[in-house]
Amino acid sequence: MDLPLIWFIAIAVLWIGYFVLEGFDFGVGTLLPAVGRDDTDRRVMINSIGPVWDGNEVWLITAIGATFAAFPAWYASLLSGFYLPVLLILLALIVRGVAFEYRGKGDTDRWRAWWDRAIVFGSAVPTVLWGVIFANIVRGVDMGADHVVDAGLLDLFGPYALLGGLTTLSLFTLHGAVFLTLKTDGDVRRRSREQAMRAGAVAIPAGTAFLAWTQAAHGTAWTLPVAVAAAGALVLGVVLAARGREGWSFTATAVAIGTLTVTLFGSLYPDVLPSSTDPAHSLTVANAASAPYTLTVISWVALVFLPVVVGYQAWSYWVFRRRVTREHIEPAPAYGGGSAAAGGGDAPASPGSG
């Protein structure tokens, strides 16, 4: 068995899971000021992702852990070149997690407004930077024979990378807006559909241009139909959202994100980090992989634990499958009052409120 190739595919699947699931979380957070006209609306939005957002981040942790275990040279070189963007993403994710917990701990508009800004920051920053990082990985970076990335921070923000960041920002915002139309009702649902149209107006041209650029510069024969499918699913998702077909629209935007990720990883293979300095210095699936024994051990670990994680997460989505409305939101108590769930104001206390 070609274990390095299997683990390259497995890591791609993990990133697909992360971008599809955490993508709508990021979209909801980014849309907080645009859709939520008052505190109750914003709590409806936060409650819609309250039971699942932290579980969705498990896909990121697993993807990074799998990269470290299966391709340690890839992991080390990535950090040598993308340390500051990754650190900023990590800080943004921490700020967002703290904001979800703390925004309901004070009973003043000013207190909640600051934590709402933190949620927007913690959602928008990773959304843009993941697009920038993956665009640079596919494009290639200045890297010598020692596999240390020599590119500076500003070198990472070229036209292709910025287009990648705009694509992920608009696509995840669209995905989050469609999720809100599927998971909420009333004015929040109506305004979310309006925001889906606005996000789609950016996501379609940006995503199509990014896919075309990726295919023309880095793609292969088999990535072409995948890229076309990604662009088609993106357009279809917007059309279905406009017609009120929320479930199918969400499926289409999820497919668009998944096929976009497949296009990126397919364009990258057999490299895992191309060198723009000299192709001979590139890290490949073969030369960056761990020893066969290590790959065998982690393969057995994945076979045992991955079904458990997927099963638990699927069960969580099933339990909290109902729409969230303003009627499910209790008045926010003063600081220190009420139960933990009510005091936070941002996590459903029962399946019925999810």
Side-chain angles (χ1 to χ4, degrees):
M1 296 178 65
D2 190 350
L3 286 178
L5 174 58
I6 291 173
W7 272 100
F8 178 79
I9 295 172
I11 289 170
V13 171
L14 290 171
W15 279 106
I16 291 171
Y18 175 66
F19 286 147
V20 169
L21 297 178
E22 188 80 316
F24 68 73
D25 289 344
F26 287 147
V28 170
T30 303
L31 288 169
L32 201 62
V35 175
R37 297 297 173 82
D38 57 25
D39 182 61
T40 302
D41 283 350
R42 289 187 284 272
R43 289 172 66 193
V44 167
M45 297 172 66
I46 295 172
N47 274 5
S48 71
I49 61 173
V52 297
W53 70 268
D54 49 353
N56 293 340
E57 291 187 347
V58 171
W59 290 84
L60 172 63
I61 297 169
T62 308
I64 293 175
T67 303
F68 175 78
F71 300 99
W74 186 15
Y75 177 88
S77 294
L78 284 174
L79 283 187
S80 74
F82 300 99
Y83 185 82
L84 287 178
V86 170
L87 179 61
L88 186 56
I89 289 173
L90 178 61
L91 291 175
L93 293 177
I94 292 172
V95 167
R96 186 180 69 137
V98 171
F100 283 145
E101 298 297 329
Y102 273 72
R103 79 175 300 277
K105 301 301 183 182
D107 194 27
T108 65
D109 292 338
R110 184 178 181 183
W111 172 272
R112 287 188 286 267
W114 276 108
W115 289 117
D116 287 343
R117 295 186 189 101
I119 292 173
V120 175
F121 169 82
S123 301
V125 168
T127 299
V128 174
L129 290 181
W130 281 130
V132 170
I133 288 173
F134 271 87
N136 276 286
I137 292 174
V138 173
R139 178 184 66 87
V141 292
D142 294 337
M143 184 171 62
D146 57 0
H147 296 150
V148 174
V149 178
D150 299 320
L153 180 62
L154 294 180
D155 296 330
L156 303 179
F157 291 89
Y160 178 66
L162 290 175
L163 180 59
L166 177 62
T167 297
T168 49
L169 175 62
S170 57
L171 181 53
F172 290 173
T173 302
L174 168 64
H175 194 45
V178 173
F179 175 80
L180 284 172
T181 66
L182 183 65
K183 199 68 172 63
T184 64
D185 213 339
D187 289 340
V188 172
R189 183 183 181 187
R190 177 182 56 80
R191 287 194 291 267
S192 297
R193 184 176 294 115
E194 295 171 354
Q195 293 300 322
M197 298 300 100
R198 294 190 177 104
V202 178
I204 290 175
T208 302
F210 182 65
L211 286 163
W213 193 339
T214 301
Q215 180 63 33
H218 313 287
T220 63
W222 77 265
T223 60
L224 177 58
V226 181
V228 172
L234 176 55
V235 173
L236 182 61
V238 176
V239 171
L240 290 170
R243 295 182 176 180
R245 304 293 297 274
E246 290 104 351
W248 286 110
S249 177
F250 182 77
T251 302
T253 55
V255 170
I257 293 171
T259 48
L260 170 63
T261 309
V262 171
T263 302
L264 293 176
F265 274 87
S267 300
L268 184 62
Y269 182 81
D271 293 332
V272 292
L273 188 61
S275 171
S276 58
T277 306
D278 185 345
H281 300 157
S282 298
L283 283 171
T284 67
V285 170
N287 67 22
S290 293
Y293 176 77
T294 302
L295 294 176
T296 302
V297 171
I298 63 175
S299 296
W300 283 108
V301 172
L303 286 173
V304 172
F305 288 102
L306 185 59
V308 176
V309 174
V310 173
Y312 172 77
Q313 193 162 28
W315 176 79
S316 297
Y317 275 92
W318 175 256
V319 170
F320 294 100
R321 65 189 181 277
R322 299 181 184 176
R323 291 184 183 271
V324 182
T325 66
R326 293 177 65 95
E327 288 70 27
H328 291 130
I329 305 300
E330 298 178 2
Y335 178 73
S339 64
D346 301 324
S350 67
S353 64

